[in-house]
């Protein structure tokens, strides 16, 4: 199951929980779960089942058993365009109207969860959904930092995208320095790019397009490959990331794409035990 996306947003002390042994006390959270059955950010059918597959793993029950206060809001309605057949490209990007509307719904629903004083936990299978969640999170937390765990950088703009698929572009809409490059994509004009590139870090990169590499370097963004994780260990990488993005003092948004685990799943691992 490729490209299932799981979003998990923690405040700072939530992150430090990953270093706490299971028998130690954990900080219990109010969490709002939502499913984003989005699919048109890319061409393959099936990823819209992401929320059902992730819920089926028992993760919601697990978090509840641990003691968190969980409310599952179900799947977000994504609009009528999203039900319709795919339409032609606008400035060489596929299905922008449908994806823009769907991610707007996701953004609005994420705001609703935040207003209810819950940490949004979003399940999906198409990373274009991050346009919506990041728009909402950065409105609520203007100093937000982002840790993006993915084999791909998802930072293509209309100028660099090789495929025109929006699932490879979400960060280019929400990062302040990049949004204007996509200005011709007017369906996305509702997105407010509040996140400076300096607040965003990538972990687990394995397959980055040439234009994306140029963008990461030009903006001086923190980015670590699977090789870096092999070499330095995940704890070392996370500490460097937190230093780079001010993550010790800012609220943190974590976005994880399961393709960051592909090597483990298909068996020829590179020695990166979980
Ligand atoms: C999202 O919320 C804004 C502001 O309330 C509203 O104008 C817009 O129509 C909503 N869009 C969707 C797709 O829900």
């Amino acid at each position: 199951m490729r490209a299932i996306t799981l979003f998990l947003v923690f405040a700072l002390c939530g992150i430090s929980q990953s270093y706490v042994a299971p028998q130690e006390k954990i900080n219990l959270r109010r969490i709002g779960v939502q499913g984003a059955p989005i699919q048109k950010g890319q061409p393959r059918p099936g990823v819209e089942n992401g929320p059902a597959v992730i819920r089926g793993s028992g993760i919601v029950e697990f978090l509840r058993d641990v003691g968190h206060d969980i409310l599952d809001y179900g799947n977000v309605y994504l609009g009528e365009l999203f039900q319709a057949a795919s339409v032609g490209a606008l400035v060489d990007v596929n299905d922008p109207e449908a994806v823009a509307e769907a991610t707007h719904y996701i953004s609005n629903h994420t705001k609703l969860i935040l207003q209810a004083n819950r940490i949004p936990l979003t399940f999906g299978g198409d990373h274009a959904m991050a346009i919506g969640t990041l728009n909402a999170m950065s409105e609520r937390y203007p100093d937000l930092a982002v840790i993006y765990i993915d084999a791909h950088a998802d930072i293509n703009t209309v100028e660099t995208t090789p495929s025109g698929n929006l699932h490879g572009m979400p960060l280019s809409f929400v990062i302040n320095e990049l949004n204007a490059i996509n200005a011709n994509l007017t369906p996305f004009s509702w997105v407010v790019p509040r996140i400076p590139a300096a607040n965003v870090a990538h972990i687990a990169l394995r397959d980055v397009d040439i234009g994306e590499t140029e963008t990461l370097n030009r903006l001086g963004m923190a980015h670590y490959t699977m090789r870096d994780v092999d070499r330095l260990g995940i704890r070392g990488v996370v500490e460097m990331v937190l230093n780079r993005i001010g993550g010790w003092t800012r609220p943190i948004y974590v976005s994880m794409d399961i393709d960051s685990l592909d090597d483990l799943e298909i068996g020829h691992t590179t020695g990166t035990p979980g």
Side-chain angles (χ1 to χ4, degrees):
M1 180 110 231
R2 204 158 172 282
I4 290 296
T5 304
L6 180 145
F7 292 99
L8 200 42
V9 182
F10 285 112
L12 172 68
C13 40
I15 278 291
S16 63
Q17 295 309 321
S18 57
Y19 300 135
V20 174
Q23 71 272 19
E24 293 177 38
K25 191 172 173 302
I26 61 166
N27 288 341
L28 297 179
R29 303 273 168 199
R30 283 169 54 84
I31 297 172
V33 172
Q34 62 181 345
I38 176 170
Q39 172 236 312
K40 285 187 175 171
Q42 51 84 63
R44 288 182 303 270
V47 297
E48 68 275 17
N49 299 321
V53 171
I54 296 173
R55 281 197 181 89
S57 74
I59 185 172
V60 173
E61 292 76 12
F62 169 79
L63 291 169
R64 195 170 275 141
D65 287 350
V66 170
H68 294 293
D69 171 354
I70 310 264
L71 181 59
D72 190 341
Y73 289 77
N75 285 354
V76 181
Y77 170 73
L78 298 177
E80 280 176 21
L81 287 175
F82 218 73
Q83 322 296 335
S86 293
V87 293
L90 179 64
V91 289
D92 296 328
V93 170
N94 303 320
D95 267 319
E97 315 262 1
V99 175
E101 186 180 59
T103 51
H104 202 172
Y105 275 109
I106 293 167
S107 175
N108 284 3
H109 197 265
T110 304
K111 289 183 197 181
L112 195 124
I113 293 175
L114 287 166
Q115 280 157 13
N117 264 324
R118 291 182 180 273
I119 297 170
L121 172 58
T122 309
F123 301 146
D126 181 328
H127 229 153
M129 69 200 238
I131 298 168
T133 49
L134 280 169
N135 182 71
M137 290 299 297
S138 60
E139 180 186 83
R140 170 67 173 259
Y141 301 104
D143 58 342
L144 188 73
V146 178
I147 301 179
Y148 205 89
I149 305 168
D150 196 317
H152 307 100
D154 290 359
I155 199 166
N156 272 306
T157 65
V158 293
E159 288 175 3
T160 65
T161 174
S163 65
N165 293 329
L166 282 155
H167 72 156
M169 303 174 60
L171 288 173
S172 74
F173 291 93
V174 296
I175 289 179
N176 184 267
E177 291 92 332
L178 295 173
N179 178 280
I181 300 172
N182 297 338
N184 284 346
L185 273 182
T186 52
F188 287 97
S189 56
W190 59 270
V191 180
V192 183
R194 304 178 187 87
I195 307 172
N199 288 14
V200 180
H202 285 87
I203 300 179
L205 292 176
R206 210 169 344 103
D207 179 12
V208 182
D209 297 324
I210 290 171
E212 292 183 304
T213 301
E214 195 275 326
T215 297
L216 293 173
N217 290 332
R218 179 168 52 85
L219 299 180
M221 294 175 67
H223 57 285
Y224 296 88
T225 63
M226 279 315 295
R227 293 271 168 274
D228 294 323
V229 176
D230 288 343
R231 233 165 15 94
L232 305 163
I234 189 63
R235 179 166 186 156
V237 168
V238 169
E239 283 179 357
M240 280 187 280
V241 159
L242 293 177
N243 289 337
R244 290 282 298 278
I245 63 178
W248 301 103
T249 53
R250 297 179 200 281
I252 297 174
Y253 174 103
V254 178
S255 182
M256 184 194 172
D257 192 318
I258 205 158
D259 69 10
S260 61
L261 303 176
D262 260 0
D263 270 13
L264 284 177
E265 284 190 327
I266 60 180
H268 45 84
T269 108
T270 56
T272 51

